[in-house]
Amino acid sequence: MKLSVLLDRARDHALPVIANITDDDLTKPTPCADYDVRALLDHLLHVVVEFQKLAAKQDADFSHTPSYPDWREQYPAESAKLVEAWGQPGATEGIAGNMQMPAQTVGGLVLLDLTIHVSDLAQATGQRFEPDPEVFTEVEGLVKQMGPMAIEMNVFKAPVEAPADASPFEQLLSTTGRDPRWSA
């Protein structure tokens, strides 16, 4: 399945979670210990913006994460631009900007971020989240492929044991070092 279609499906599952985040939620902790809800929203929106550049083979800037005060309006608009950028001819071919990785892999990274970080936001704000089944399959493959390298680069933490009755998505979260049933 085309990456842009998967990104669009991930976006469809993310938009309700983002829309239901209230001002009271912004200071809540998230499963990502370095981020509260507000900081994770800024991080995720920055990823969405910068990965548009990578789709066009331009350099992305992850040296800092700006604050996005209008995230409620920006997230739907910027995520639509992300889907469009990765749907352009040639977006998944060649090397993606200054990441110096195959564009198809880089596009998978943004799909991974959209899925895992939206789950983090849902957990932090008491919402249910289940990814699109085809998005899940793609992300699961990426997590398996990236495993040890992602831990080494501090993208993932060491895997944790999933509960015996964990869903496939909860098992995937535990593979990234997250407590799949995290609560503040």
Side-chain angles (χ1 to χ4, degrees), residues 3 21 30 35 49 52 56 59 61 65 72 93 113 138 141 143 145 153 155 158 163-164 183:
L3 178 62
I21 294 173
T30 71
Y35 298 110
V49 168
Q52 293 170 40
D59 290 346
D61 181 4
T65 300
R72 283 183 178 91
E93 298 167 9
D113 261 24
E138 185 72 19
V143 169
Q145 174 189 341
M153 295 174 63
V155 175
S183 62

Side-chain angles (χ1 to χ4, degrees), residues 11-158:
R11 177 181 184 270
D12 285 348
H13 282 71
L15 288 176
V17 172
I18 303 289
N20 285 318
I21 294 173
T22 68
D23 288 345
D24 290 339
D25 290 329
L26 297 178
T27 58
K28 291 180 178 176
T30 71
C32 299
D34 297 341
Y35 298 110
D36 64 8
V37 169
R38 179 56 209 247
L40 189 54
L41 282 165
D42 284 342
H43 168 73
L44 185 57
L45 188 51
H46 189 58
V47 164
V48 166
V49 168
E50 293 301 308
F51 272 74
Q52 293 170 40
K53 295 175 188 174
L54 292 166
K57 310 299 186 273
Q58 299 169 356
D59 290 346
D61 181 4
F62 293 108
S63 63
H64 71 288
T65 300
S67 177
Y68 292 93
D70 299 327
W71 58 269
R72 283 183 178 91
E73 293 78 31
Q74 285 180 285
Y75 188 84
E78 293 296 338
S79 59
K81 290 179 192 174
L82 177 77
V83 171
E84 184 180 328
W86 284 96
Q88 294 301 309
T92 58
E93 298 167 9
I95 301 297
N98 56 347
M99 288 195 74
Q100 295 300 305
M101 295 169 65
Q104 182 71 37
T105 301
V106 171
L109 294 176
V110 74
L111 183 67
L112 177 84
D113 261 24
L114 275 177
T115 305
I116 302 297
H117 283 323
V118 169
S119 171
D120 295 334
L121 289 168
Q123 283 183 298
T125 59
Q127 300 181 60
R128 277 196 40 77
F129 175 78
E130 195 67 36
D132 173 90
E134 291 186 25
V135 169
F136 168 77
T137 299
E138 185 72 19
V139 169
E140 183 181 42
L142 285 164
V143 169
K144 285 178 183 168
Q145 174 189 341
M146 294 173 50
M149 180 184 71
I151 292 168
E152 191 177 302
M153 295 174 63
N154 248 1
V155 175
F156 299 158
K157 303 237 181 287

Side-chain angles (χ1 to χ4, degrees), residues 31 119 123 160-163 166-167 169-175 177-183:
S119 171
Q123 283 183 298
V160 298
E161 192 168 331
S167 71
F169 185 58
E170 288 174 326
Q171 291 172 19
L172 177 68
L173 291 174
S174 69
T175 303
R178 287 167 167 76
D179 175 351
R181 297 193 181 155
W182 178 92
S183 62

